[in-house]
């Protein structure tokens, strides 16, 4: 498994890219101004309670505090935020690395174009990007409205069925940035997460080249070979593609290099042999409502073999 060994970051207040820094500044200024005004209003309230019935100049306070002050404050904030927003990156794929992301109930399909062959490379729930390069995510949804939000890198963007939207982002330092679906999309909306892994450009190129290759052959020890047979016995190929092995279905995530991903189940579980086995055995117990059915009539040995095969798909 490659990638920086850092804990995933999911915070508007810890920006790791230029646009996220501007959005983080908005958050601080609005919070600061709001806090100041709240304290001032509370001070005025305390003062008024100590006046013991002496009359206030009502017109002055209503006109000044209720009309002039908010108009002034909101106008200044509007002017400042409009000026600052001009610094956000343009939402265009020109000159950017283009990656397409499709929201599904409840996972993310991610597609790259192989720079060598021009063929499409499909992966899921993980977007790897090169540090310092502008990336344009072309966004779409396959079923209902989703919304992509990676707080440390950029703002939110809705993903709407039948419509292509886009989001520009750039990571300025290597790291793992957690993202989240930000539009309620059904029972497992909360378990629709993804990770953006920002790598040094050379590392990214090596990763993409590895992803472009067809699935790795099972190890000759027999266990993974048996696992590949179980994949077909369980009819996994009816929903999943493994390039070079079974390529006709695209209902579920492409599993060609599933072993190389950080997590499975759209952020739900760490990715290792035991969690793969648990997931295949009964996904409904881990993520109720998910499209994937439980493995049927599978014995323990076959389950372990299948998990070993999937883990080996690096
Ligand atoms: Cu997808 Cu919420």
């Amino acid at each position: 498994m490659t990638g920086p060994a850092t804990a995933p970051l999911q915070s508007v207040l810890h920006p790791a890219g230029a646009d996220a820094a501007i959005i983080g500044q908005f958050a601080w200024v609005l919070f600061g101004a709001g806090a100041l005004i709240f304290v001032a209003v509370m001070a005025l309230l305390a003062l008024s309670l100590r006046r013991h019935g002496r009359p206030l100049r009502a017109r002055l306070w209503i006109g000044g505090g209720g009309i002039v002050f908010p108009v002034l404050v909101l106008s200044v904030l509007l002017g400042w935020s409009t000026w600052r927003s001009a610094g956000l990156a343009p939402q265009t794929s020109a000159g950017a690395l283009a990656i397409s992301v499709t929201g599904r109930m409840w996972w993310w399909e991610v597609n790259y174009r192989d720079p060598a062959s021009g063929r499409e490379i499909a992966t899921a729930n993980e977007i790897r990007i090169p540090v310092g390069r502008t990336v344009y995510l072309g966004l779409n949804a396959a079923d209902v409205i989703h919304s992509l939000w990676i707080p440390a890198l950029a703002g939110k963007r809705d993903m709407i069925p039948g419509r292509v939207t886009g989001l520009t982002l750039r990571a300025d330092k290597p790291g793992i940035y957690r993202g989240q679906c930000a539009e309620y999309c059904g029972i497992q909306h909360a378990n629709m997460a993804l990770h953006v892994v920002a790598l040094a450009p050379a590392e990214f190129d090596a990763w993409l080249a590895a992803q472009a290759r067809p699935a790795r052959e099972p190890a000759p020890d027999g266990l993974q070979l048996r696992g590949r047979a179980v994949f077909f016995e369980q009819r996994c190929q009816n929903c999943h593609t493994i390039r070079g092995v079974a390529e006709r279905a695209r209902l579920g995530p492409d599993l060609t290099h599933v072993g190389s991903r950080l997590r499975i189940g759209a952020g739900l579980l760490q990715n290792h042999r035991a969690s793969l086995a648990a997931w295949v055995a009964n996904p409904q117990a881990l993520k109720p409502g998910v499209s994937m059915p439980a493995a049927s009539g599978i014995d323990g040995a076959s389950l372990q073999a299948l998990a070993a095969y999937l883990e080996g798909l690096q």
Side-chain angles (χ1 to χ4, degrees), residues 106 146 181 183-185 189 192:
W106 294 277
H146 303 273
C181 181
E183 177 71 43
Y184 183 73
C185 55
H189 158 69
M192 186 168 166

Side-chain angles (χ1 to χ4, degrees), residues 120-137:
E120 186 188 81
I121 305 167
T123 177
N125 304 325
E126 197 172 288
I127 307 173
R128 298 211 175 201
I129 60 172
V131 165
R133 176 142 181 224
T134 301
V135 174
Y136 180 80
L137 303 177

Side-chain angles (χ1 to χ4, degrees), residues 9-283:
L9 186 70
Q10 181 175 330
S11 169
V12 175
L13 304 179
H14 296 92
D19 279 11
I22 293 174
I23 293 167
Q25 200 180 42
F26 286 156
W28 279 117
V29 168
L30 292 176
F31 175 74
L36 262 175
I37 292 168
F38 177 76
V39 168
V41 170
M42 288 303 114
L44 283 172
L45 177 69
L47 218 62
S48 75
L49 293 175
R50 288 167 58 110
R51 286 174 64 97
H52 298 297
R54 274 182 292 156
L56 281 172
R57 291 164 68 190
R59 284 186 162 207
L60 179 80
W61 282 103
I62 292 171
I67 300 169
V68 177
F69 182 71
V71 166
L72 205 72
V73 169
L74 293 176
S75 301
V76 168
L77 282 175
L78 177 68
W80 174 75
S81 62
T82 305
W83 168 73
R84 206 66 192 88
S85 296
L88 292 168
Q91 300 295 316
T92 166
S93 60
L97 169 68
I99 303 169
S100 95
V101 182
T102 305
R104 294 173 181 274
M105 292 162 82
W106 294 277
W107 59 284
W108 313 82
E109 183 181 330
V110 182
N111 291 288
Y112 292 80
R113 194 152 294 285
D114 178 9
S117 69
R119 286 184 55 188
E120 186 188 81
I121 305 167
T123 177
N125 304 325
E126 197 172 288
I127 307 173
R128 298 211 175 201
I129 60 172
V131 165
R133 176 142 181 224
T134 301
V135 174
Y136 180 80
L137 303 177
L139 307 178
N140 194 0
D143 33 45
V144 298
I145 299 176
H146 303 273
S147 181
L148 178 66
W149 191 27
I150 306 144
L153 296 180
K156 282 176 207 166
R157 186 76 77 231
D158 278 359
M159 309 167 88
I160 301 157
R163 228 177 102 179
V164 175
T165 52
L167 179 66
T168 303
L169 55 83
R170 195 186 74 213
D172 288 333
K173 45 195 172 197
I176 304 175
Y177 307 102
R178 193 175 185 277
Q180 182 88 46
C181 181
E183 177 71 43
Y184 183 73
C185 55
I187 184 172
Q188 289 297 340
H189 158 69
N191 285 317
M192 186 168 166
L194 80 157
H195 289 84
V196 174
V197 183
L199 300 167
E203 258 184 282
F204 171 78
D205 291 342
W207 172 82
L208 191 60
Q211 294 287 312
R213 287 195 276 276
R216 179 186 281 191
E217 276 297 303
D221 65 1
L223 185 64
Q224 291 185 3
L225 211 58
R226 168 78 189 118
R228 188 168 68 179
V230 175
F231 179 85
F232 287 101
E233 285 167 23
Q234 287 291 328
R235 306 271 185 273
C236 305
Q237 79 278 15
N238 286 350
C239 295
H240 296 282
T241 278
I242 297 179
R243 262 180 289 128
V245 178
E247 305 201 6
R248 66 186 171 88
R250 294 189 58 170
L251 280 174
D254 185 300
L255 301 178
T256 309
H257 298 287
V258 64
S260 71
R261 294 174 204 154
L262 297 171
R263 301 185 76 88
I264 58 167
L268 191 66
L269 301 171
Q270 279 195 324
N271 187 7
H272 47 66
R273 197 181 293 192
S275 60
L276 285 163
W279 176 261
V280 171
N282 196 354

